[in-house]
Amino acid sequence: MRIPIAATGAVLLACGAAALAAGLGAFGAAAADGPLLDPALARFAGGHGWFLPVAAGVAEVLALAGQLWLVVQVRRVVHRWWPDVDPETRIRARAAADDLNRDARAMPGVRDCGVRLSGTADRPRLLLRLACAGDTLISEVYGELGAGPVERYREAVGMPDLPVVIRFRPDLPRPPRRHRAQPEPA
Amino acid sequence: MAEMLVRDLIEEEHNRRQARRLAVREFRPRRAFAGFAGALLVTTGCGVAAIELLAAALGSGVHPVPGVAAVADALRRHTWRDVLPAAGAITFAGAAFLLAALPGRLRGVPLAGSDPRQAGAIGRTALRRTVADAALGVPGIERARVRGPGPFRGVLVVRVTTGYRNPANLADLVRQAVGARLDRIEPMRRPQVDVRLGWRRD
């Protein structure tokens, strides 16, 4: 989604910079003191019959592209919480998530586990959040999870290539803030 | 036998690269707010322009979208010099959108792995805290603060303080403890560790 953002930014920057240049007199003092909606533009549109329909068509296409962009983003947000899979897979995923949760909690150092299937039918994701002790052997837990429990989850939901995204959250207290030494009472 | 070994090595490297790609794709900032703002701007701006232009092309003398008549009137009355602040704001918004389109820093530190279907990460703050925890485990260390890993050099700066007057090899011990903790985490790109030790000088 970065390309449409960059295109929008480039167009806005170019328009803003051109307006700044016009206002500061880069195109001549007459242009700087001229109205924003120049009567010459209306005359041009009146003299060329094709201009307004073509401009309207371009604006319409851009508006449709914007709507499509909006729909894609809303769809992505919705499917982050509500995966786009059939009801049967959803039921199997729920049962498999319980197994995965139990297996993950049994690993050394793991205190809590959150499992969520997300994404669209063509791009599903399994999201795992693991809360663990501060000195957990994270590399080993990471490898073992992928080799055992996650593989069983993939088999259970029938998605052998399901990508899994694991986030580790070591359970460590915030470091204490440094306090200025208080003068001792006399 | 040698051919088998070479093939395995190539496959493992390929898998590692795929895993790295998945991690980068998953942990890259999504820029959801910029995306929504841009999509709303394009949809409303171009939608209003399309309706107005179509009305003008059909020869209608009225403005179908409410409020556009006042805007068109203002556009006729004001000069380019009058709208310098608005032009500046548009330029600033464009620059902000362009900045938002840059790839950005990953949300978390990716973990090493050779499964192309698996991506893992530990939060940057969590990594700093666990490294500080490892440094505080060294006898004699009273305070530990960790900064980094930065986006460019990826150096983890560990500032530790001891109450001892003679620090001896404490810096090395802290470096070892931090290294051992990083071994337990195995980040995809292992950060360099820079230990800075402060001690009592009175």
Side-chain angles (χ1 to χ4, degrees):
Chain A
M1 284 295 123
R2 289 208 310 274
I3 292 172
I5 296 176
T8 310
V11 169
L12 280 179
L13 187 69
C15 292
L20 271 180
L24 292 171
F27 305 128
D33 291 323
L36 291 166
L37 204 60
D38 206 312
L41 185 67
R43 278 201 300 277
F44 180 83
H48 300 80
W50 54 267
F51 178 75
L52 284 177
V54 167
V58 170
E60 186 60 45
V61 167
L62 285 175
L64 282 176
Q67 281 177 31
L68 190 69
W69 184 14
L70 209 54
V71 167
V72 166
Q73 288 184 88
V74 171
R75 188 168 171 258
R76 187 177 289 176
V77 170
V78 169
H79 289 319
R80 232 181 133 64
W81 297 99
W82 188 252
D84 179 23
V85 290
D86 55 286
E88 194 188 326
T89 310
R90 196 167 289 145
I91 292 165
R92 272 187 290 163
R94 206 167 292 150
D98 289 342
D99 292 346
L100 176 54
N101 205 327
R102 195 189 52 237
D103 291 347
R105 279 166 193 257
M107 288 189 163
V110 177
R111 290 178 179 162
D112 196 13
C113 173
V115 183
R116 201 172 77 220
L117 184 65
S118 91
T120 53
D122 55 334
R123 282 187 64 185
R125 288 277 179 282
L126 175 66
L127 306 179
L128 273 178
R129 278 174 186 277
L130 292 184
C132 52
D135 59 346
T136 305
L137 197 48
I138 287 179
S139 59
E140 202 173 296
V141 171
Y142 181 59
E144 275 187 22
L145 259 179
V150 169
E151 200 55 51
R152 286 197 287 277
Y153 183 93
R154 286 189 184 116
E155 281 171 21
V157 295
M159 297 179 186
D161 293 325
L162 175 70
V164 53
V165 179
I166 305 174
R167 278 194 162 270
F168 286 91
R169 292 179 179 276
D171 192 9
L172 283 165
R174 277 176 79 97
R177 289 205 165 219
R178 193 177 181 184
H179 294 292
R180 279 195 186 148
Q182 296 286 326
E184 282 185 20
Chain B
M1 182 71 186
E3 189 194 341
M4 206 50 199
L5 187 67
V6 168
R7 197 179 299 160
D8 286 351
L9 282 174
I10 290 173
E11 196 171 325
E12 196 181 326
E13 182 52 36
H14 178 72
N15 286 344
R16 264 181 209 289
R17 200 175 301 158
Q18 294 288 330
R20 202 178 307 144
R21 244 178 233 170
L22 178 68
V24 167
R25 207 167 50 225
E26 289 301 325
F27 299 121
R28 185 159 273 171
R30 298 194 193 285
R31 307 291 189 216
F33 180 74
F36 269 114
L40 275 177
L41 191 72
V42 171
T43 308
T44 49
C46 292
V48 168
I51 293 168
E52 286 294 323
L53 285 167
L54 266 178
L58 293 172
S60 161
V62 293
H63 294 286
V65 182
V68 171
V71 173
D73 191 41
L75 289 179
R76 279 192 204 96
R77 274 189 290 111
H78 289 100
T79 64
W80 289 102
R81 209 183 288 281
D82 299 336
V83 293
L84 277 177
I90 292 171
T91 313
F92 181 76
F97 271 114
L98 276 178
L99 278 179
L102 291 176
R105 204 162 67 150
L106 299 188
R107 296 168 304 158
V109 179
L111 303 177
S114 56
D115 187 346
R117 301 166 300 169
Q118 187 172 330
I122 177 171
R124 228 167 278 279
T125 310
L127 182 76
R128 282 197 283 267
R129 278 187 198 166
T130 186
V131 165
D133 182 58
L136 284 171
V138 175
I141 297 297
E142 289 176 352
R143 243 180 102 234
R145 287 173 70 109
V146 182
R147 216 177 58 201
F152 301 111
R153 285 170 59 218
V155 177
L156 206 58
V157 179
V158 184
R159 288 176 196 276
V160 284
T161 316
T162 176
Y164 297 164
R165 288 193 173 82
N166 177 9
N169 65 339
L170 262 181
D172 290 335
L173 292 176
V174 170
R175 199 169 293 117
Q176 277 173 19
V178 170
R181 185 58 66 91
L182 287 177
D183 284 342
R184 293 175 81 86
I185 296 171
E186 265 194 57
M188 194 172 275
R189 274 177 59 187
R190 195 187 165 94
Q192 285 178 34
V193 179
D194 181 6
V195 177
R196 296 176 190 177
L197 177 67
W199 66 90
R200 249 176 107 169
R201 292 163 200 267
D202 52 0

